[in-house]
Amino acid sequence: PDLAGRAGLERRLTRAQAEAVWEGLFVRAIWPVEQVLKISGFSKEEVDEVVLVGGTTRLPRIRQLIAEYFGKEPNWTIDPDQAVSWGTAVQAGILTDAKGIKVAATEYWGTGAKKCESLARPRVGHHP
């Protein structure tokens, strides 16, 4: 039982077993990537570098799927949690129409900043 007295199930899985269970979810992770490319008007061949952010990008299977999709190894040298924090701060500034706030994260985008700006706007909706 857990601390609340509820019964629980504990089972150890190998990485291969866990990946087999989660494979459907992994494959669905490509859908948002396809949507961003569609909205941006870019093809996957035009993408120079893929930077992975967020906790699930630590999973080898996610990195493998992204590498297979783009035909190149993704960059995951950036701390995924820190990148999410930066992105959250940028999005908060966009949503609140913050004025006079210097967003240092755009300095890292280099020449891609103008392309990223067109995608950095609030969107409302749901995906499958």
Side-chain angles (χ1 to χ4, degrees):
D2 64 12
L3 292 175
R6 298 175 297 218
L9 172 67
E10 183 177 327
R11 180 173 179 197
R12 292 187 184 264
L13 297 174
T14 64
R15 180 182 308 258
Q17 290 170 322
E19 288 179 353
V21 170
W22 299 332
E23 184 63 20
L25 294 173
F26 290 150
V27 172
R28 285 178 49 196
I30 296 298
W31 185 88
V33 174
E34 293 170 335
Q35 294 307 303
V36 166
L37 289 172
K38 182 178 176 183
I39 291 167
S40 71
F42 288 100
S43 70
K44 63 183 178 181
E45 292 76 23
E46 293 176 284
V47 175
D48 296 323
E49 183 176 30
V50 178
V51 179
L52 299 180
V53 298
T56 56
T57 62
R58 288 186 176 98
L59 297 173
R61 181 65 178 131
I62 292 291
R63 293 194 303 264
Q64 179 186 12
L65 282 170
I66 294 296
E68 290 169 359
Y69 182 80
F70 284 101
K72 63 184 82 172
E73 287 298 315
N75 175 349
W76 56 285
T77 59
I78 296 170
D79 180 286
D81 296 325
Q82 185 177 16
V84 170
S85 298
W86 276 99
T88 301
V90 170
Q91 187 65 19
I94 292 167
L95 292 174
T96 61
D97 198 25
K99 304 265 190 256
I101 295 175
K102 181 180 178 193
V103 180
T106 57
E107 294 171 5
Y108 299 113
W109 292 345
T111 58
K114 291 180 182 171
K115 293 178 183 175
C116 291
E117 287 173 6
S118 67
L119 297 176
R121 60 181 183 270
R123 294 186 49 83
V124 177
H126 301 284
H127 59 82

